[in-house]
Amino acid sequence: MKQYKTVPVLGILLLLFAPIIYAQPTQKVQPLSLEEIWKVAETNNRELKLSDLNHQQSKIEILEAKDRLLPELSLVGDVKLNSKFLIYDNGLFSSPQNVAVKGYGYGVCYNLNVNLYNGGKDKRNIDMKKEEEMRKQYEVDLQKHSVKYNAALAYFDLYKFLHFYDFLHAEIEAEKKQLRLIESLHRNGTVLKSDVLRTSVKLSQLELSLSDVTKKIEIAKQRLNILMGRENDTELAIKYQDIIELNAIKDGDYNDYIDIAFNKSPAYKMAGSDIKWSELNVKQVKATLLPKVSLYSNYNYNYPQISFYPYSNDLWGFGQTGIKLQYAVDNLYKCKHTIARALVAASQSKEKAEMKKDEISFQVKEVYLQQQQAFESVETAAKNIIKTSETVRVIRSSYLNQESLLTDLLEAENALLEAKFNLTTAQANAKVTHIKLLAIVGIL
């Protein structure tokens, strides 16, 4: 009997602690704002990491270019076996004289070479590497703006879908209540069976739309996780209940944005950097027509001495120090087309810079107008919600009084739901277009 009494007690305890046991593995996810998502993306985004590595590589290339200014110094050592030393006094086919030398030999030496002048090519190469490093920095900035804009795009997609989910969920609950009311009216003979069927069909369509939105929410979350450099299935929540403030982003004239773009835009700075690099490259190519002056020094220890007569089986040392002038005469005719190609490349970079300027001007104008259109859409959508809400109220009242058809009520309810969708979409688009504008001008 005692055994059977303990079973209900254990069952009650399990029921009491079941919520606690279930709640332990599920932790509440801290919702993130857009700014917080940007901070995570700037640290962990894989595209930004790759851009940063390219930038680091360009910095190392500057150090490599500076290393070439250092003197060249080498140490050489060798051990060798010597053949017989034969001297043909009376010609090749006469009997040679055999000079007694050691059958083996060795030597050590150093060679030092210091570049004194080569047309400034080494120092100019450093300047070119510095310009390349600066361009890499602009690429990092441009990539950062792109990642932040894409993160904002995914963020506001998720923002919209979460609101759509709430709208649809609330609409489904309201429609279920309305269906129960219509079924009650049908049982009383007040409305036709067709009204019950129409309401059921609408409820099914709403549930299907809710399922579609749920899938889009998962896709938007995965995209955000990827942009933040996290695992695809990481739990994610955003502060979508926060109201989007649009008044703060309405200020700013088109000309102001243009001025900012030509001073801050990484894309425009990259075009300017290409011009500087191409001009340096022209000077670098022309420098091949200039002579090269270097200081050299070497000293050798060799055994035995078989380089000068009389020969000797003793250790000997010999060195030289001097200044060497070298001029490649062939460059006078070989470099003509190389210089011409460098000049054409410089002209191309200038034309590309002008094209980039026109492109940025067009992009700023286009997105600026899109932003204004988005503000107008927000105002229109807000007015439509007021009108459709009143329409639904009036038609619902008249339907219950049998003064209007159910189809009119369902159409009015769909129009109200669509108006809510449009307002949320317009608010998100206004924010996204403003962020895109900031990304284009380079101040995001």
Side-chain angles (χ1 to χ4, degrees), residues 82-111:
N82 296 326
S83 67
K84 291 182 179 181
F85 199 106
L86 303 177
I87 298 178
Y88 296 86
D89 302 34
N90 300 317
L92 178 63
F93 298 103
S94 63
S95 297
Q97 177 185 355
N98 187 7
V99 179
V101 295
K102 288 290 184 181
Y104 66 91
Y106 58 83
V108 293
C109 70
Y110 80 86
N111 293 300

Side-chain angles (χ1 to χ4, degrees), residues 108-280:
V108 293
C109 70
Y110 80 86
N111 293 300
L112 175 67
N113 187 76
V114 181
N115 178 33
L116 299 179
Y117 176 77
N118 66 343
K121 292 178 67 176
D122 290 339
K123 292 183 178 179
R124 194 175 295 109
N125 185 50
I126 295 175
D127 294 336
M128 294 174 71
K129 292 298 181 182
K130 287 182 177 178
E131 197 60 48
E132 290 176 3
E133 185 270 333
M134 187 65 66
R135 194 184 193 282
K136 292 292 184 182
Q137 179 61 58
Y138 297 149
E139 289 180 1
V140 171
D141 295 338
L142 185 63
Q143 187 67 45
K144 187 179 297 184
H145 293 327
S146 176
V147 168
K148 292 176 73 174
Y149 169 69
N150 289 330
L153 201 60
Y155 178 89
F156 284 105
D157 278 345
L158 181 57
Y159 173 91
K160 289 188 298 183
F161 296 143
L162 289 172
H163 276 285
F164 292 172
Y165 183 92
D166 290 346
F167 295 153
L168 288 168
H169 187 269
E171 188 71 12
I172 288 173
E173 293 301 318
E175 202 62 33
K176 287 180 179 179
K177 294 179 181 179
Q178 185 165 274
L179 177 59
R180 289 194 292 268
L181 175 61
I182 293 175
E183 287 175 341
S184 176
L185 294 175
H186 172 64
R187 286 193 295 268
N188 295 330
T190 307
V191 297
L192 300 175
K193 180 65 175 179
S194 59
D195 288 359
V196 177
L197 295 176
R198 287 191 183 97
T199 307
S200 299
V201 170
K202 179 188 176 183
L203 185 59
S204 299
Q205 291 174 343
L206 289 173
E207 290 173 345
L208 182 60
S209 298
L210 184 66
S211 176
D212 180 59
V213 168
T214 302
K215 294 178 177 63
K216 290 181 179 179
I217 288 174
E218 293 302 317
I219 294 174
K221 285 183 178 180
Q222 182 176 357
R223 185 183 179 193
L224 266 179
N225 280 327
I226 292 174
L227 288 170
M228 288 190 289
R230 307 199 302 182
E231 295 296 329
N232 295 347
D233 55 353
T234 305
E235 290 295 327
L236 175 65
I238 65 171
K239 298 179 180 179
Y240 77 101
Q241 296 291 356
D242 294 348
I243 300 175
I244 299 178
E245 295 291 341
L246 298 179
N247 293 330
I249 63 177
K250 291 184 178 180
D251 298 333
D253 183 68
Y254 165 72
N255 294 324
D256 296 333
Y257 285 117
I258 286 293
D259 293 337
I260 295 173
F262 293 151
N263 288 283
K264 298 289 186 179
S265 171
Y268 189 66
K269 288 181 178 180
M270 287 167 60
S273 179
D274 290 340
I275 293 176
K276 293 179 182 178
W277 189 91
S278 62
E279 290 174 347
L280 288 171

Side-chain angles (χ1 to χ4, degrees), residues 381-396:
K383 294 177 182 178
N384 286 341
I385 287 181
I386 297 174
K387 295 177 182 178
T388 53
S389 298
E390 181 63 19
T391 302
V392 169
R393 187 190 67 81
V394 172
I395 295 179
R396 181 177 286 120

Side-chain angles (χ1 to χ4, degrees), residues 1 16 37 48 63 93 108 156 173 196 213 247 303 319 326-327 335 345 380 383 397 422:
M1 292 295 292
L16 290 174
I37 289 175
L48 287 180
L63 298 178
F93 298 103
V108 293
F156 284 105
E173 293 301 318
V196 177
V213 168
N247 293 330
Y303 175 84
Q326 182 178 357
Y327 185 78
C335 291
T380 302
K383 294 177 182 178
S397 177
N422 291 339

Side-chain angles (χ1 to χ4, degrees), residues 25-45:
T26 58
Q27 298 179 355
K28 186 177 180 180
V29 181
Q30 183 68 28
L32 301 175
S33 65
L34 179 58
E35 289 73 17
E36 291 170 337
I37 289 175
W38 280 347
K39 289 180 181 179
V40 176
E42 288 179 4
T43 304
N44 300 323
N45 181 266

